[in-house]
Amino acid sequence: MKPICLGVAVLSLAPFTMSKEQVQEKPNIIFIMSDDHAAHAVSAYGSKINKTPNIDRLAKDGMRFDNCFCLNSICSPSRAIILTGKYSHINGVMGNRTEFDGSQQTLPKLLQQVGYQTAIVGKWHLKSAPTGFHYSNVLPGQGEYHNPIMIENGKRKKNEGYVTDLITDRAITWLKKQETSESPFFLMLHHKAPHANWEPDEKHMTMYSEEDIPLPETFNDDHKTRTAQIKNHRLKVGQKQWDLHFKRFGKIPEGMTEQEKREWVYQKYMKNYLRCIASLDDNVGRVLDYLEESGQSENTIVVYTSDQGFFLGDHGLYDKRFMYEHSLRMPLLIRYPKEIAAGSSADSMVSNLDFASTFLDYAQVPIPKDIQGESFKSIAHGSIPEDWKTSIYYRFYEESFGVGEHEGIRTERYKLIHFLYGDMGWELYDLSKDPNELNNVYRTPENKYLIEDLKEQLSVLKAKYQVEM
Ligand SMILES: [Ca+2]
């Protein structure tokens, strides 16, 4: 609660206070997005390898979405989809090497039009300068974990400290400035962590040093039934990419078997990844504490997500890109005590394409017709629209680390993937029988009609989203 100025006539009367909540009709929105934080490393999603008590506060006080998907599972494209509510082929960012056209319509610009103060702090990763924000303080490119340069409203500045703490500090500083404003705010708080090269801070450096992280169920997946695509993939834990992402962890000890080497690398990788998440979790807690202390918890929607999922040794891999579940899935937690039931969950399918529409809906902005996503506000309120989608279309474009262009459809039960690059073929998974996607059943004769039907559904989705190829 804090006093606001209501004009000279009122000031001469007895003291009168009105909370920011009463003044605002529109909710504040804080969109916290990390980078490469898989849902299965969030304890609210049942993580077997770590605890995230602060991120879990959002699930405890709000809604956990159990089927949120990234439609092009890599950093820059996911960010562009979120900003525009449009697929990569429409917003122009097909891969990490493309520059975002900042002149186009975006979520923050639409919110500005109805009086929101808008800011982005942290990882931007879209090459062009941010547009649509009253305040920006972003990392150049991927940014550094320690003593990062940040670009504040276009000006490069050196910073001392750890990136996750610094991003949170800068975000809270901006939030504090909004306390005296009558406008609602929209903050995109984008963390670098836990992206490679997984450099923990001092505080969490020794976490997990006395224990082993359990191996995932599919660590020893032999990839036997799959197309050649996964065999070409270069991001397998403990294989050739050692020098690229893992060299800072030291040399693999001599005399180990191949399996021992893989497991040794897995431990190094996971411990550092999880240490980065521990710091991230502390910092999410700082933002939630700030909102409580400043009396803004009730009227602020807080979202936690990650730009995509990640393989945590699943199928013997690390990284993302593939349409397989661990990479495709995003954690999505939303807290808004006024309208979202505490401790609730939803299994309706949503995606990063839907975020813009949903926030516009909360801000009572008419959703422009050219936005391709749909608002899931009613789902957050416990009511599923009758015609809500039961499938999603995925498209990965950028040939990188041996993963080529592919597309596919995921329904509530099935997933059909077409590896386009090099015409590597198709994979089909029955997720009800094979949730770990170990058995590609595309060549099973009994699936002939099912495959025809899924290909037809895939064509319908491509037509709906104006995909030309
Ligand atoms: Ca990412």
Side-chain angles (χ1 to χ4, degrees):
M1 302 278 281
K2 57 188 173 296
I4 61 151
C5 175
L6 290 175
V8 177
V10 175
L11 285 176
S12 64
L13 301 174
F16 181 87
T17 59
M18 187 185 278
S19 70
K20 195 167 182 176
E21 281 86 341
Q22 287 168 300
V23 176
Q24 289 179 326
E25 284 176 23
K26 299 179 192 295
N28 303 313
I29 303 168
I30 300 182
F31 177 76
I32 306 174
M33 181 163 74
S34 56
D35 195 334
D36 297 355
H37 187 186
H40 55 311
V42 176
S43 37
Y45 281 93
S47 169
K48 294 171 184 164
I49 51 175
N50 70 331
K51 297 258 186 293
T52 49
N54 288 296
I55 293 169
D56 292 0
R57 284 161 69 182
L58 295 173
K60 186 171 159 281
D61 296 342
M63 179 170 271
R64 187 190 69 219
F65 285 79
D66 289 338
N67 285 303
C68 180
F69 302 103
C70 177
L71 303 181
N72 183 354
S73 179
I74 188 167
C75 304
S76 306
S78 179
R79 287 153 207 275
I81 290 173
I82 290 166
L83 278 170
T84 59
K86 295 174 185 175
Y87 266 96
S88 308
H89 62 283
I90 306 280
N91 70 47
V93 180
M94 326 280 266
N96 276 353
R97 299 164 199 142
T98 328
E99 182 171 307
F100 181 68
D101 171 8
S103 69
Q104 64 187 300
Q105 168 186 281
T106 61
L107 168 64
K109 287 182 190 173
L110 291 163
L111 291 173
Q112 280 184 335
Q113 286 172 13
V114 294
Y116 272 77
Q117 282 293 309
T118 61
I120 172 136
V121 179
K123 188 168 172 181
W124 170 245
H125 201 207
L126 285 166
K127 292 187 186 283
S128 56
T131 56
F133 299 98
H134 295 103
Y135 176 78
S136 64
N137 198 346
V138 296
L139 298 165
Q142 295 281 7
E144 298 291 334
Y145 270 103
H146 294 279
N147 306 323
I149 287 171
M150 291 180 76
I151 306 169
E152 185 175 24
N153 291 333
K155 209 170 160 192
R156 288 171 82 90
K157 290 183 182 174
K158 284 183 183 170
N159 295 274
E160 273 184 32
Y162 187 65
V163 71
T164 310
D165 299 332
L166 288 167
I167 289 170
T168 309
D169 292 345
R170 304 297 181 261
I172 291 176
T173 301
W174 184 80
L175 287 171
K176 284 184 175 165
K177 286 186 182 155
Q178 306 316 303
E179 288 180 20
T180 51
S181 163
E182 289 181 23
S183 306
F185 61 77
F186 173 61
L187 168 65
M188 301 189 95
L189 202 177
H190 290 186
H191 285 289
K192 170 187 172 60
H195 191 281
N197 293 330
W198 315 295
E199 295 174 27
D201 64 352
E202 194 105 13
K203 187 179 161 194
H204 301 92
M205 192 65 88
T206 57
M207 264 182 107
Y208 309 109
S209 55
E210 301 299 315
E211 60 190 286
D212 278 348
I213 309 297
L215 291 171
E217 273 178 76
T218 60
F219 188 70
N220 295 314
D221 180 359
D222 61 8
H223 307 153
K224 213 161 82 187
T225 63
R226 296 175 210 274
T227 60
Q229 174 59 91
I230 203 164
K231 295 176 184 77
N232 289 5
H233 179 40
R234 297 198 297 271
L235 300 173
K236 299 187 179 82
V237 174
Q239 293 191 14
K240 286 179 189 165
Q241 289 305 301
W242 173 257
D243 280 337
L244 176 67
H245 284 137
F246 298 99
K247 59 183 174 189
R248 56 181 298 277
F249 300 149
K251 277 201 159 180
I252 303 177
E254 301 281 329
M256 283 186 167
T257 64
E258 284 308 306
Q259 180 69 11
E260 284 167 345
K261 278 183 197 169
R262 291 178 65 228
E263 294 185 15
W264 187 88
V265 172
Y266 170 80
Q267 292 299 331
K268 290 279 183 189
Y269 155 46
M270 283 314 301
K271 287 180 184 183
N272 284 292
Y273 177 84
L274 296 176
R275 287 164 184 153
C276 292
I277 290 172
S279 149
L280 177 67
D281 186 70
D282 288 352
N283 277 289
V284 170
R286 287 178 61 207
V287 174
L288 298 178
D289 290 346
Y290 162 73
L291 288 175
E292 275 171 29
E293 285 156 17
S294 60
Q296 299 180 92
S297 260
E298 293 299 306
N299 196 42
T300 303
I301 297 170
V302 183
V303 178
Y304 182 80
T305 190
S306 166
D307 60 347
Q308 12 65 209
F310 215 65
F311 297 108
L312 309 179
D314 310 285
H315 306 294
L317 311 178
Y318 70 101
D319 204 65
K320 55 257 182 178
R321 299 166 218 267
F322 275 120
M323 197 190 162
Y324 302 133
E325 290 291 281
H326 300 96
S327 154
L328 182 68
R329 287 181 171 277
M330 304 166 81
L332 177 64
L333 305 168
I334 306 185
R335 179 192 188 279
Y336 186 34
K338 266 188 181 175
E339 298 184 15
I340 300 178
S344 54
S345 66
D347 58 13
S348 301
M349 298 178 105
V350 301
S351 78
N352 54 347
L353 191 70
D354 301 323
F355 292 179
S357 302
T358 305
F359 301 148
L360 291 171
D361 199 1
Y362 271 112
Q364 300 146 49
V365 182
I367 300 165
K369 287 208 164 48
D370 61 346
I371 286 189
Q372 296 180 305
E374 294 148 292
S375 167
F376 52 77
K377 181 179 162 188
S378 64
I379 295 172
H381 296 181
S383 160
I384 305 164
E386 260 181 40
D387 57 350
W388 191 255
K389 59 176 155 269
T390 53
S391 62
I392 53 134
Y393 170 69
Y394 180 86
R395 181 71 173 248
F396 178 82
Y397 292 91
E398 185 182 275
E399 201 281 325
S400 47
F401 297 102
V403 187
E405 187 170 356
H406 60 286
E407 67 175 3
I409 178 172
R410 190 204 188 280
T411 67
E412 288 167 330
R413 179 165 174 183
Y414 297 104
K415 185 186 293 180
L416 181 70
I417 312 174
H418 188 194
F419 290 101
L420 300 155
Y421 181 79
D423 196 17
M424 289 196 198
W426 297 77
E427 294 183 9
L428 171 68
Y429 297 95
D430 179 345
L431 300 168
S432 68
K433 292 181 187 159
D434 179 25
N436 282 331
E437 299 170 301
L438 291 168
N439 194 19
N440 169 23
V441 291
Y442 185 77
R443 299 198 177 281
T444 308
E446 301 86 87
N447 289 330
K448 183 171 177 275
Y449 295 110
L450 168 68
I451 290 166
E452 279 174 16
D453 180 50
L454 288 169
K455 285 185 179 175
E456 175 57 29
Q457 288 189 51
L458 180 62
S459 300
V460 170
L461 286 179
K462 287 175 75 166
K464 176 181 173 184
Y465 294 119
Q466 302 156 49
V467 183
E468 282 175 7
M469 291 170 60

